[in-house]
Amino acid sequence: MFFSPPVFLFISIHLSLRQCVGEEIWVDSRTVYIGHKEPPPGAEAYIPQRYPDNRIVSSKYTFWNFIPKNLFEQFRRIANFYFLVIFLVQLIIDTPTSPVTSGLPLFFVITVTAIKQGYEDWLRHKADCSINECPVDVVQRGKVVRTQSHKLRVGDIVVVREDETFPCDLILLSSSRHDGTCYVTTTSLDGESSHKVPGQEVDSLHATIECEQPQPDLYKFVGRINIYKDKEEPVARPLGAENLLLRGATLKNTHHIYGTVAVYTGMETKMALNYQSKSQKRSAVEKSMNAFLIVYLCILISKAVINTVLKYAWQWSPDRDEPWYNHRTENERQRHVVIRAFTDFLAFMVLFNYIIPVSMYVTVEMQKFLGSYFITWDEEMFDEELGEGAQVNTSDLNEELGQVEYVFTDKTGTLTENNMEFIECCVDGNVYIPHEHEDLFFRALCLCHTVQVKEEETVDGIKRGIHQGRPTSFYISSSPDEVALVEGMKRGLFLFARLELKPLKKINEHEKVSPSLCQDCLPFRFELLHVLNFDSVRRRMSVIVKSSSGEYLLFCKGADSSIFPRVVSGKVEQVKARVEQNAVEGLRTLCVAYKRLSHSEYEEACHHLTTAKLALQDREQRLAQAYDIIERDFVLLGATAVEDRLQEKAADTIESLHKAGMKVWVLTGDKMETAAATCYASKLFRRSTQILELTKKRTEEQSLHDVLFELNRTVLRQRSISGYEIMLSVDCLDFGLIIDGATLSAVLKPNQEGAGPGNYREIFLEICRNCSAVLCCRMAPLQKAQIVKLIKASKEHPITLAIGDGANDVSMILEAHVGIGIMGKEGRQAARNSDYAIPKFKHLKKMLLVHGHYYYIRIAELVQYFFYKNVCFIFPQFLYQFFCGFSQQPLYDTAYLTLYNISFTSLPILLYSLVEQHVTMETLKKDPSLYRDIAKNSLLRWPVFLYWTCLGVFDAVIFFFGAYFLFDNTTFTSNGQMFGNWTFGTLVFTVLVFTVTLKLALDTHHWTWINHFVIWGSLLFYVIFSLLWGGIIWPFLNYQRMYYVFMQMLSSGPAWLSIILLITVSLLPDVIKKVLCRTMCPTISSCCALSSPFSLLAAP
Amino acid sequence: MIGAMMASSYNEDGHITVSGPGGGTLRSKKPENTAFKQQRLPAWQPILTAGTVLPAFFIIGLIFIPIGIGLYVTSNNIKEFEIDYTGEDVSSPCFNCSQSFSWNSTRPCTCVIPFYLEQPYESSVFMYYGLSNFYQNHRRYVKSRDDSQLNGDMESLLKPSKECEPYAMNENKPIAPCGAIANSMFNDTFELFYNDPNGTKVQIPLSNTGIAWWTDKHVKFRNPGLNNPNLTAAFQGTTKPVNWRRPVYELDSAPDNNGFINEDFIVWMRTAALPTFRKLYRIINKTSNMVPTLPRGNYTLEVVYNYPVRSFDGRKRMILSTISWMGGKNPFLGIAYITVGSVCFFLGVVLLIIHHKCGNRSNSADISN
């Protein structure tokens, strides 16, 4: 349930290790007794350990602890806590407003959140329940017993059938397949494998498994199995991640597997350990929102302090403090003046607390949550081939998509299809020309891979391929390069090695399947002895095989940089030349080499490998060492070239990103030439781009220091010549930088000379700042994250976005402000760790230019508007204190105070923030430069914030003094009767609600029927509510101050006239500002809106 | 031959390369193509530009200015006369009364204030009393009342809400009506005389009905003991507010203006918004079309001076005013309308100029692009 749809990934390794006994003693490990059998006497003491049962608990709450725990969680949020404090203050001291005014919104917010969380938790409970109660077959005393999943215990032997998911983390003991392997589908796991225990009846197996304690890394498992035979030394065999079947994965292509033994159960499974919330990324908008909040908090406190001080200054004369008509109670009189002043301060705080909008957090959260659906709903971001659309893993960063300044992209699988096609091979420098080494070369290619063969007509129920009705086979591998090579070999073999096709194919089929069957000794039959797996640090892989003639051979293939240094003979020069030529054409090249091993060498290698594999600690490191020792002194065989085509519209996307003012960096592990060719093809570099090189080749000639300074001078000179203005425009000469991993690490290395002139980091950043495109080649995965971090920390603090598809991109995806995963062919890890996942690179364009832009302007307006409307709301109340003797008399009725934020003005802004489109989607897509309009958080900067606040204050002053002068000492009705303070407040409030709503209407550029409905509907709701609220003597209230106030007000002509006048005056400055801004200094988007054919009111 | 053999064997085994995603799910997760989900709802997209706003400004100007003029003229036609009778000045007729005020004096102090109306008041005239520096909107004061007691609730009558403190109980008896507002009810009385040129002094009839809101008098305020004609019995067990001279059931002789539904009382109970306020006291109804309600000439106002304002530097006024459809004299509204209308008109002109200039500029910019 936590994994996305399946992707087939197979790695199968047959281990034919001799017995080896590990000698290490480790602490953090557990011993699992298979089938709960005690080890024979003489072995380690049987210490029964306690493990959790296999119950999965993803739910947070139980029925009993829901209320306290949920409340606790909610009040840990600072905003909720603030309102709780206000509420408690209102309960304790005598405050101007009843506790209801803050209690009800708080209750509303808390309840809504609690219901949402409760519902989600209920769903989780249900899911847990169905998982925990699903039936599982367990072998007990030689019989298969059906039990429930949650009753599984560590050490149980479990039977899993095809298409069943594994109920917990299991170690494979035996499989129904004759080769003892099984296939697992999941998107998240990179491999599976088998461990067969030959000649052992599962039930009678007497063994223990020692393994590390649970840890969340899916790709790591270290353990060993000790098999006890009668009176023999226990047999120990290594267990790695390839032996572990993870909970959540599904068994495929295998009828059943027997005797898997549970090692991690319940909450200790890797899946459960992985199911934790990721690190919290906060968007720039959220940061400015919090800054604004602090400003408002300061305003609030200073308002309260000012009023308290003024109150006591004003009350200095006792006739003002306590005139004869308005005495204090005896209790109050006896209170100490300090306590009284403090109470007054708190009362003012309570009176003005609405300036911090309680509902803003809820609205922002709802906006983000609901708004993110538009991404998943987007049809244009749906990929037919993949059958998937965009995915939103966190909705917290929606608006950050509109703020991106730096894009870091992976090359393979992101810019390119990762759909490899075998183009050519070069054997000993001769392209396609037979040679004595040729056999060996192709043999190497056919053997040195981890491709699996799947023989089935249907895969996951979908008929694939053209061979309908006939059994078909697929090559399936975790690396597309290998598939391309093997398939290329098949094609190639028709041309060059026809006679060998059949046996080779057989090898392809059977080498992995069952080497033990290869005993009929056909000429090209090999027994696969070891696989030295590929990893991105070594950048190569090897196999050790035993040919039918009993010869031991080691074949190795890998990146040229990792092969050439290890080659001792072969036609290095020719191959090198060919490799470079291919790279320039943008082909991916691999070099192939081999070495013959004598039996003793083989034994030694074997020893190295087994000791390393049996190690429970530092296994990775030891393996790397072992590989290093084994993989040397090669004979170069040749090189292959595989083409990886660009993804469709990749060039268009990059061009748009450039126009939108983003700097695009390509980070790849490929060769510089290959990568540069791709960059030209994808228009990252144009013909006009001046390429600056910062590569190892160059730094070998000059010192790094000189190169850096020279480049910096070039960049700066250009800027001073062309002038700053032109630098900003798109079409002028721009720079592209190419840097490789080695130089980068040299640049980033802290300078030994201290803070001398050679602070390379700063110079490097300065150069980068002036380059619109940067290509980093030969990068290690960690360097990708490093470079993102470097840019993030540079002094402008730009917003970064990282996009990638492979596991090696995860670190940068996690590091960048926004991480985007491509649902690629190299598994789902990137997509799972990302904030957003998209099917193709081209979708990035719409994601940023349209969705990002919209989300940003929506949330910016939401935040600004929320503060604005609360300034309008509270500032008149502040002014009123000067006219009521600083007595904390509220201007508005309790109901208005309570409902203003939660119902009168909440829906229009929420809806606005969901559907507003200031320009049409087509325009945004057509003109990427619009993205620059909102760059650098432009709508939430301090001047804009100040404008909104001033507008709020201005409106508030208009409301209050407008009403004040109208009310001042005059009659308002045609029958001579007078109005009181509540009518005064209601008049201000009516003007307030209308102004604030109409202000939003003025800001709305996109009036759908929903906007009309909500805006006019909420105004109507206000009127109807007021009529109702004042129309009845409410029996449950102890005051009837609002009785008929609203109707009386509406029956007075001057009240109508003044409401209209005040609304007009309040809206006037904003309209003028809008018109002037549009006319005098139009932004690009406003121009586009004007020229848009959809606008009905556009100027002639 | 060999080639054909190979090909056939290839077909038999039928290898097809599949890498990476092997299948995917059958059910399509393709999003629905609805206008809402694709954010393509039909929409009206108004844009505020000089061109579009211009007419609006002119229209606002054209509407507001006449309204403003109308309001201003109406306001100017309203006649209002105001007289301050606080008695701060030694020369003031009420000086003595204001100086000699004491809470427990039994003999009312009366002062007589002569004044001259320069214009005849044609229609009905409304007589107000005005107070300054009186904080009826003080929080402690505003909440010091018990609405359910005033609504005739027997329970609240005998057990006033604690909001009324310290004006809830007196000598262990509940105060009716309780609270600071009721306790400080305005108790000066006015009598108005017209000094006929022939020397006679004609008392002008002052009507005390219709001065409070109809809903207040008939719904919000009710005497306790439903339909009990004997108010004295209904208020049994309560005591009068400390500062009152008479109990609440003796406010007026007319039964429909007595007790809590006394209109003077109701008017006072509607707390004013600002510290300077006026409240309707009496109405001088128009009697005939021929004679002005208040002809030009000399008048005498006789005030029974009971209400102390000196302690808080307060002021007391008596106001006579006629009323139009837009209420009393208030030039502010008219002036505001005229100003806003003119500003809009002016802005319209400015925008027109800007629009003209910049419109040309942007057009040429478009062409150059």
Side-chain angles (χ1 to χ4, degrees):
Chain A
M1 65 182 275
F2 299 110
F3 298 117
S4 359
V7 168
F8 255 101
L9 294 169
F10 293 67
I11 294 175
S12 160
I13 290 163
H14 183 82
L15 296 164
S16 54
L17 294 177
R18 315 280 186 77
Q19 56 183 49
C20 261
V21 185
E23 254 115 274
E24 297 92 341
I25 300 161
W26 62 89
V27 196
D28 291 328
S29 68
R30 56 165 60 178
T31 307
V32 178
Y33 300 90
I34 296 174
H36 309 291
K37 281 187 214 133
E38 288 177 37
E44 306 134 69
Y46 176 61
I47 316 149
Q49 277 168 286
R50 301 191 65 162
Y51 302 116
D53 63 7
N54 196 33
R55 197 181 295 274
I56 273 282
V57 187
S58 62
S59 54
K60 257 170 143 173
Y61 310 108
T62 63
F63 182 76
W64 302 109
N65 72 7
F66 177 73
I67 289 175
K69 197 172 169 189
N70 186 265
L71 283 183
F72 175 71
E73 299 260 311
Q74 289 206 47
F75 284 120
R76 269 176 29 184
R77 302 182 63 186
I78 198 83
N80 288 345
F81 186 70
Y82 166 79
F83 289 101
L84 181 72
V85 168
I86 293 285
F87 177 68
L88 292 178
V89 166
Q90 278 177 310
L91 279 183
I92 294 163
I93 65 162
D94 169 45
T95 55
T97 53
S98 86
V100 177
T101 53
S102 64
L104 196 66
L106 185 68
F107 180 74
F108 173 77
V109 165
I110 296 283
T111 315
V112 166
T113 319
I115 288 172
K116 179 177 156 253
Q117 289 178 348
Y119 175 70
E120 284 171 356
D121 207 57
W122 181 68
L123 288 183
R124 279 196 289 265
H125 267 290
K126 256 177 55 176
D128 286 354
C129 224
S130 68
I131 288 173
N132 287 337
E133 276 165 20
C134 80
V136 170
D137 288 338
V138 176
V139 180
Q140 273 175 359
R141 292 187 201 87
K143 274 177 283 176
V144 176
V145 183
R146 185 151 276 233
T147 174
Q148 282 178 329
S149 169
H150 67 94
K151 288 181 183 151
L152 274 183
R153 285 189 302 136
V154 169
D156 279 346
I157 298 174
V158 184
V159 183
V160 183
R161 299 199 165 70
E162 183 159 15
D163 293 331
E164 281 182 353
T165 50
F166 302 117
C168 58
D169 290 353
L170 301 167
I171 291 289
L172 178 60
L173 292 182
S174 91
S175 152
S176 71
R177 284 177 68 100
H178 42 67
D179 61 349
T181 64
C182 69
Y183 302 135
V184 171
T185 82
T186 151
T187 57
S188 59
L189 312 179
D190 254 356
E192 67 38 73
S193 98
S194 62
H195 188 112
K196 191 177 172 189
V197 183
Q200 284 277 353
E201 273 305 305
V202 164
D203 191 47
S204 60
L205 178 71
H206 209 139
T208 58
I209 290 172
E210 289 169 80
C211 57
E212 56 186 352
Q213 291 295 351
Q215 53 139 316
D217 190 342
L218 288 178
Y219 305 97
K220 229 180 204 164
F221 175 73
V222 185
R224 71 175 162 201
I225 183 166
N226 298 314
I227 303 160
Y228 299 96
K229 288 177 187 163
D230 295 329
K231 296 165 200 153
E232 269 180 50
E233 268 288 285
V235 179
R237 292 184 182 186
L239 296 172
E242 67 275 1
N243 303 95
L244 189 67
L245 305 170
L246 298 185
R247 178 174 197 152
T250 313
L251 185 66
K252 283 284 175 194
N253 208 18
T254 308
H255 182 259
H256 61 261
I257 47 174
Y258 269 122
T260 41
V261 57
V263 284
Y264 303 133
T265 50
M267 295 314 287
E268 290 183 349
T269 59
K270 293 194 179 263
M271 185 189 72
L273 290 172
N274 265 286
Y275 189 62
Q276 281 156 355
S277 58
K278 277 176 254 154
S279 69
Q280 289 285 315
K281 290 185 184 175
R282 282 165 70 221
S283 72
V285 168
E286 212 180 317
K287 281 176 205 154
S288 28
M289 198 166 98
N290 288 339
F292 297 165
L293 262 184
I294 289 170
V295 170
Y296 272 83
L297 199 66
C298 296
I299 294 179
L300 169 68
I301 291 172
S302 50
K303 266 183 178 177
V305 169
I306 289 170
N307 267 338
T308 314
V309 170
L310 285 177
K311 180 185 170 109
Y312 281 87
W314 184 82
Q315 283 183 351
W316 198 246
S317 93
D319 280 331
R320 282 211 182 126
D321 187 18
E322 267 188 280
W324 63 263
Y325 57 84
N326 192 7
H327 281 299
R328 282 210 170 81
T329 57
E330 204 53 44
N331 261 342
E332 265 176 89
R333 230 173 269 171
Q334 278 162 2
R335 223 169 276 162
H336 192 269
V337 70
V338 176
I339 294 173
R340 269 208 317 238
F342 184 67
T343 325
D344 275 322
F345 170 75
L346 285 181
F348 279 120
M349 288 283 282
V350 167
L351 188 66
F352 302 140
N353 84 79
Y354 305 92
I355 200 167
I356 308 259
V358 59
S359 50
M360 186 169 76
Y361 280 100
V362 192
T363 315
V364 165
E365 226 160 77
M366 268 160 84
Q367 190 267 348
K368 285 182 169 178
F369 175 70
L370 297 175
S372 61
Y373 276 102
F374 284 119
I375 291 182
T376 48
W377 282 337
D378 195 325
E379 214 186 6
E380 285 175 38
M381 296 214 283
F382 181 81
D383 191 65
E384 296 282 352
E385 201 183 304
L386 216 59
E388 278 186 83
Q391 240 177 53
V392 179
N393 295 335
T394 169
S395 56
D396 288 342
L397 298 169
N398 290 344
E399 67 276 3
E400 203 84 335
L401 292 171
Q403 290 295 306
V404 177
E405 290 163 79
Y406 280 82
V407 175
F408 296 92
T409 164
D410 176 41
K411 190 176 83 72
T412 311
T414 308
L415 284 177
T416 61
E417 288 273 10
N418 207 8
N419 194 359
M420 307 292 174
E421 202 174 316
F422 182 72
I423 295 295
E424 63 161 52
C425 57
C426 151
V427 186
D428 278 359
N430 305 320
V431 183
Y432 284 111
I433 293 171
H435 194 272
E436 60 184 86
H437 271 317
E438 193 200 83
D439 288 357
L440 214 46
F441 176 74
F442 290 119
R443 218 165 280 168
L445 284 184
C446 291
L447 293 172
C448 186
H449 57 73
T450 56
V451 174
Q452 270 283 352
V453 182
K454 174 157 170 75
E455 297 170 40
E456 211 169 294
E457 192 184 340
T458 54
V459 182
D460 274 2
I462 289 183
K463 288 200 173 170
R464 283 197 151 261
I466 33 172
H467 300 273
Q468 294 265 346
R470 241 174 287 170
T472 56
S473 306
F474 315 110
Y475 293 123
I476 304 167
S477 166
S478 54
S479 156
D481 288 76
E482 295 193 329
V483 177
L485 284 177
V486 174
E487 215 199 21
M489 273 309 101
K490 202 172 70 192
R491 273 196 285 130
L493 288 170
F494 283 123
L495 292 168
F496 301 110
R498 291 174 187 205
L499 290 173
E500 289 176 27
L501 171 68
K502 200 159 182 156
L504 269 172
K505 235 170 62 177
K506 270 201 168 154
I507 290 169
N508 277 345
E509 277 178 30
H510 291 291
E511 58 176 355
K512 326 294 187 218
V513 177
S514 164
S516 54
L517 288 181
C518 296
Q519 271 146 22
D520 48 345
C521 285
L522 280 170
F524 298 109
R525 221 150 261 237
F526 293 89
E527 193 185 345
L528 181 63
L529 300 168
H530 284 288
V531 176
L532 282 60
N533 268 327
F534 179 84
D535 65 60
S536 52
V537 180
R538 255 163 70 237
R539 302 165 63 82
R540 61 178 181 266
M541 72 159 293
S542 307
V543 291
I544 299 175
V545 294
K546 186 180 172 191
S547 75
S548 45
S549 56
E551 218 178 351
Y552 291 102
L553 290 169
L554 187 147
F555 293 112
C556 178
K557 80 171 198 280
D560 51 341
S561 62
S562 61
I563 297 284
F564 283 132
R566 292 168 181 274
V567 167
V568 288
S569 68
K571 302 196 170 170
V572 179
E573 287 312 312
Q574 289 102 314
V575 175
K576 217 173 200 168
R578 188 69 203 164
V579 163
E580 262 158 36
Q581 192 190 330
N582 283 337
V584 170
E585 284 166 27
L587 302 175
R588 284 164 75 96
T589 55
L590 280 177
C591 289
V592 184
Y594 86 108
K595 109 175 178 192
R596 259 173 237 280
L597 297 172
S598 66
H599 187 76
S600 61
E601 278 173 323
Y602 168 69
E603 286 293 309
E604 197 191 322
C606 186
H607 173 72
H608 279 303
L609 287 176
T610 37
T611 42
K613 279 185 183 171
L614 275 179
L616 280 176
Q617 278 166 344
D618 304 325
R619 186 184 276 183
E620 308 270 313
Q621 212 180 320
R622 284 172 182 232
L623 268 178
Q625 278 168 3
Y627 289 160
D628 195 50
I629 294 166
I630 296 165
E631 291 170 329
R632 55 175 53 162
D633 307 331
F634 288 133
V635 178
L636 186 67
L637 284 169
T640 61
V642 168
E643 191 186 17
D644 189 6
R645 248 171 278 133
L646 273 185
Q647 283 200 6
E648 55 169 330
K649 289 187 181 165
D652 170 58
T653 308
I654 292 218
E655 218 177 351
S656 308
L657 296 185
H658 264 304
K659 278 190 194 154
M662 281 175 247
K663 294 188 171 152
V664 183
W665 291 43
V666 174
L667 312 178
T668 175
D670 278 0
K671 271 173 72 70
M672 182 189 133
E673 289 79 12
T674 317
T678 313
C679 288
Y680 275 110
S682 61
K683 296 204 181 151
L684 184 74
F685 296 150
R686 273 159 296 190
R687 299 246 169 274
S688 60
T689 310
Q690 188 181 340
I691 303 290
L692 310 172
E693 269 185 48
L694 194 60
T695 54
K696 208 178 162 198
K697 213 158 65 188
R698 226 179 134 186
T699 46
E700 274 166 4
E701 293 160 14
Q702 284 170 289
S703 76
L704 176 65
H705 183 270
D706 294 345
V707 178
L708 270 174
F709 272 86
E710 196 188 313
L711 292 180
N712 196 22
R713 261 202 306 281
T714 325
V715 171
L716 289 178
R717 191 178 338 123
Q718 189 60 42
R719 194 166 74 178
S720 56
I721 291 168
S722 55
Y724 200 67
E725 245 174 71
I726 308 167
M727 273 309 287
L728 293 171
S729 83
V730 192
D731 297 322
C732 83
L733 192 144
D734 54 2
F735 293 101
L737 179 73
I738 300 179
I739 185 167
D740 61 8
T743 323
L744 183 74
S745 54
V747 168
L748 296 187
K749 209 161 52 190
N751 200 343
Q752 288 92 345
E753 293 148 33
N759 198 351
Y760 298 152
R761 197 182 282 249
E762 278 310 308
I763 301 167
F764 175 64
L765 280 175
E766 183 64 35
I767 297 171
C768 291
R769 222 169 273 145
N770 292 302
C771 293
S772 59
V774 177
L775 166 64
C776 304
C777 44
R778 295 256 182 247
M779 299 281 277
L782 252 172
Q783 276 186 312
K784 291 186 174 183
Q786 247 178 357
I787 207 156
V788 173
K789 202 173 196 167
L790 175 76
I791 297 298
K792 245 171 89 175
S794 71
K795 65 173 183 276
E796 295 99 346
H797 297 289
I799 308 291
T800 56
L801 177 144
I803 177 166
D805 72 322
N808 58 346
D809 303 316
V810 170
S811 59
M812 81 172 172
I813 284 175
L814 291 177
E815 179 66 44
H817 290 100
V818 188
I820 294 195
I822 293 208
M823 303 160 179
K825 292 175 178 167
E826 290 182 12
R828 287 267 167 167
Q829 223 193 348
R832 258 189 322 123
N833 285 294
S834 62
D835 304 312
Y836 301 90
I838 51 177
K840 285 273 151 60
F841 183 71
K842 62 173 178 183
H843 298 132
L844 189 64
K845 182 178 171 185
K846 192 172 186 196
M847 191 88 167
L848 298 183
L849 297 185
V850 179
H851 288 293
H853 198 140
Y854 280 158
Y855 284 130
Y856 179 72
I857 55 143
R858 287 168 186 173
I859 200 128
E861 172 89 5
L862 173 70
V863 170
Q864 299 281 25
Y865 179 78
F866 247 99
F867 286 111
Y868 159 79
K869 76 172 177 147
N870 283 288
V871 170
C872 288
F873 180 46
I874 284 311
F875 205 69
Q877 193 132 261
F878 171 72
L879 293 174
Y880 191 52
Q881 299 311 307
F882 290 84
F883 299 91
C884 69
F886 305 100
S887 60
Q888 303 120 21
Q889 169 63 21
L891 187 55
Y892 319 114
D893 179 52
T894 307
Y896 289 156
L897 281 172
T898 314
L899 294 179
Y900 176 74
N901 266 324
I902 61 178
S903 71
F904 297 146
T905 59
S906 62
L907 271 186
I909 181 62
L910 177 64
L911 210 91
Y912 173 96
S913 66
L914 286 176
V915 305
E916 165 71 353
Q917 299 178 13
H918 61 313
V919 283
T920 58
M921 228 180 264
E922 283 71 26
T923 325
L924 281 179
K925 257 189 289 184
K926 217 166 55 201
D927 193 354
S929 54
L930 295 180
Y931 197 79
R932 290 161 185 247
D933 271 5
I934 55 165
K936 291 266 168 209
N937 210 356
S938 65
L939 299 180
L940 286 174
R941 263 181 281 173
W942 290 107
V944 188
F945 172 70
L946 199 68
Y947 169 74
W948 277 88
T949 307
C950 289
L951 190 70
V953 172
F954 171 81
D955 284 355
V957 168
I958 293 290
F959 303 155
F960 182 78
F961 284 105
Y964 175 82
F965 283 115
L966 290 164
F967 256 78
D968 189 27
N969 214 9
T970 184
T971 314
F972 230 53
T973 54
S974 51
N975 59 7
Q977 292 166 0
M978 296 301 294
F979 287 154
N981 63 326
W982 298 115
T983 314
F984 182 77
T986 306
L987 182 80
V988 173
F989 192 77
T990 308
V991 175
L992 165 73
V993 169
F994 274 79
T995 306
V996 160
T997 309
L998 290 177
K999 156 80 181 142
L1000 190 68
L1002 280 179
D1003 286 351
T1004 307
H1005 294 90
H1006 191 79
W1007 284 85
T1008 63
W1009 64 268
I1010 311 176
N1011 292 84
H1012 283 288
F1013 178 76
V1014 170
I1015 287 189
W1016 310 127
S1018 79
L1019 288 180
L1020 193 71
F1021 173 75
Y1022 165 69
V1023 174
I1024 290 172
F1025 174 84
S1026 301
L1027 290 175
L1028 202 72
W1029 184 240
I1032 302 174
I1033 295 270
W1034 291 94
F1036 56 84
L1037 291 178
N1038 60 357
Y1039 56 85
Q1040 306 296 340
R1041 55 199 182 198
M1042 292 309 288
Y1043 185 64
Y1044 255 72
V1045 161
F1046 192 71
M1047 282 78 125
Q1048 283 284 349
M1049 186 185 80
L1050 291 190
S1051 69
S1052 131
W1056 281 88
L1057 286 174
S1058 42
I1059 288 171
I1060 292 168
L1061 178 82
L1062 294 179
I1063 292 172
T1064 313
V1065 174
S1066 311
L1067 292 177
L1068 211 55
D1070 195 48
V1071 172
I1072 292 166
K1073 181 244 166 194
K1074 274 193 172 55
V1075 171
L1076 288 185
C1077 277
R1078 212 170 261 276
T1079 324
M1080 306 303 235
C1081 45
T1083 56
I1084 314 167
S1085 43
S1086 60
C1087 291
C1088 285
L1090 264 184
S1091 56
S1092 137
F1094 298 97
S1095 68
L1096 302 176
L1097 262 174
Chain B
M1 183 60 212
I2 293 166
M5 197 188 84
M6 291 309 139
S8 70
S9 76
Y10 164 73
N11 281 344
E12 272 161 27
D13 292 350
H15 281 249
I16 291 173
T17 302
V18 174
S19 62
T25 43
L26 258 181
R27 71 197 157 81
S28 175
K29 288 192 287 181
K30 193 173 168 75
E32 280 172 72
N33 184 14
T34 57
F36 175 70
K37 288 189 174 181
Q38 301 305 321
Q39 306 195 61
R40 293 189 191 285
L41 282 176
W44 173 56
Q45 291 168 313
I47 294 153
L48 294 176
T49 60
T52 50
V53 170
L54 261 178
F57 274 98
F58 283 120
I59 290 169
I60 290 175
L62 288 179
I63 294 174
F64 273 29
I65 293 175
I67 291 179
I69 293 171
L71 285 171
Y72 190 70
V73 170
T74 319
S75 172
N76 271 356
N77 285 341
I78 289 169
K79 299 178 183 88
E80 195 174 281
F81 177 81
E82 191 173 311
I83 189 164
D84 189 319
Y85 70 93
T86 321
E88 288 290 288
D89 252 5
V90 187
S91 58
S92 164
C94 291
F95 179 74
N96 281 337
C97 286
S98 73
Q99 293 302 306
S100 65
F101 174 82
S102 87
W103 280 110
N104 24 357
S105 75
T106 46
R107 205 165 45 83
C109 174
T110 308
C111 48
V112 177
I113 304 136
F115 62 93
Y116 179 72
L117 282 186
E118 288 168 355
Q119 284 170 312
Y121 285 39
E122 306 282 350
S123 56
S124 294
V125 178
F126 294 78
M127 179 189 254
Y128 296 91
Y129 59 87
L131 291 173
S132 299
N133 219 5
F134 189 99
Y135 284 84
Q136 245 202 332
N137 59 6
H138 196 281
R139 181 162 73 91
R140 213 185 313 133
Y141 188 82
V142 170
K143 67 174 185 178
S144 186
R145 62 194 285 160
D146 186 344
D147 275 336
S148 48
Q149 188 192 51
L150 298 173
N151 197 227
D153 185 59
M154 283 308 280
E155 208 179 312
S156 306
L157 183 74
L158 299 174
K159 201 169 171 291
S161 149
K162 74 175 191 338
E163 301 285 344
C164 286
E165 294 288 349
Y167 305 97
M169 306 288 273
N170 188 25
E171 294 160 350
N172 286 330
K173 272 184 171 177
I175 296 174
C178 74
I181 312 176
N183 182 57
S184 59
M185 184 178 158
F186 185 75
N187 56 359
D188 282 1
T189 54
F190 303 133
E191 279 182 347
L192 191 61
F193 298 93
Y194 175 58
N195 299 339
D196 223 329
N198 56 19
T200 52
K201 212 172 163 187
V202 184
Q203 182 166 10
I204 293 168
L206 303 175
S207 158
N208 64 356
T209 54
I211 57 173
W213 293 12
W214 190 91
T215 47
D216 280 3
K217 183 164 166 88
H218 293 90
V219 185
K220 195 172 162 183
F221 288 77
R222 269 191 217 143
N223 277 323
L226 277 172
N227 303 321
N228 186 353
N230 190 354
L231 272 184
T232 320
F235 282 100
Q236 188 72 44
T238 64
T239 179
K240 70 172 175 65
V242 188
N243 291 352
W244 284 22
R245 302 248 155 92
R246 294 170 295 193
V248 67
Y249 44 84
E250 285 172 21
L251 280 176
D252 197 8
S253 49
D256 62 344
N257 195 30
N258 202 5
F260 289 155
I261 57 169
N262 177 276
E263 291 201 29
D264 284 324
F265 175 66
I266 295 171
V267 164
W268 181 255
M269 291 304 284
R270 183 155 292 281
T271 49
L274 299 166
T276 301
F277 59 90
R278 57 169 81 166
K279 285 182 184 287
L280 188 54
Y281 182 70
R282 293 289 182 263
I283 301 171
I284 308 163
N285 284 311
K286 186 173 180 166
T287 42
S288 77
N289 283 331
M290 307 306 289
V291 200
T293 320
L294 292 181
R296 199 153 68 113
N298 282 312
Y299 291 85
T300 315
L301 180 71
E302 279 190 29
V303 181
V304 180
Y305 198 107
N306 294 322
Y307 205 73
V309 293
R310 232 168 56 102
S311 63
F312 52 88
D313 294 326
R315 288 279 173 177
K316 297 199 283 190
R317 289 160 299 146
M318 193 283 301
I319 302 118
L320 291 171
S321 170
T322 60
I323 292 285
S324 72
W325 62 270
M326 57 151 288
K329 197 176 186 73
N330 187 7
F332 172 77
L333 197 56
I335 293 171
Y337 259 92
I338 293 171
T339 317
V340 173
S342 320
V343 166
C344 278
F345 205 85
F346 171 74
L347 282 172
V349 173
V350 171
L351 284 179
L352 190 68
I353 296 165
I354 290 174
H355 179 57
H356 208 69
K357 278 189 174 173
C358 294
N360 290 343
R361 198 175 63 191
S362 67
N363 280 346
S364 59
D366 283 347
I367 290 160
S368 72
N369 282 345

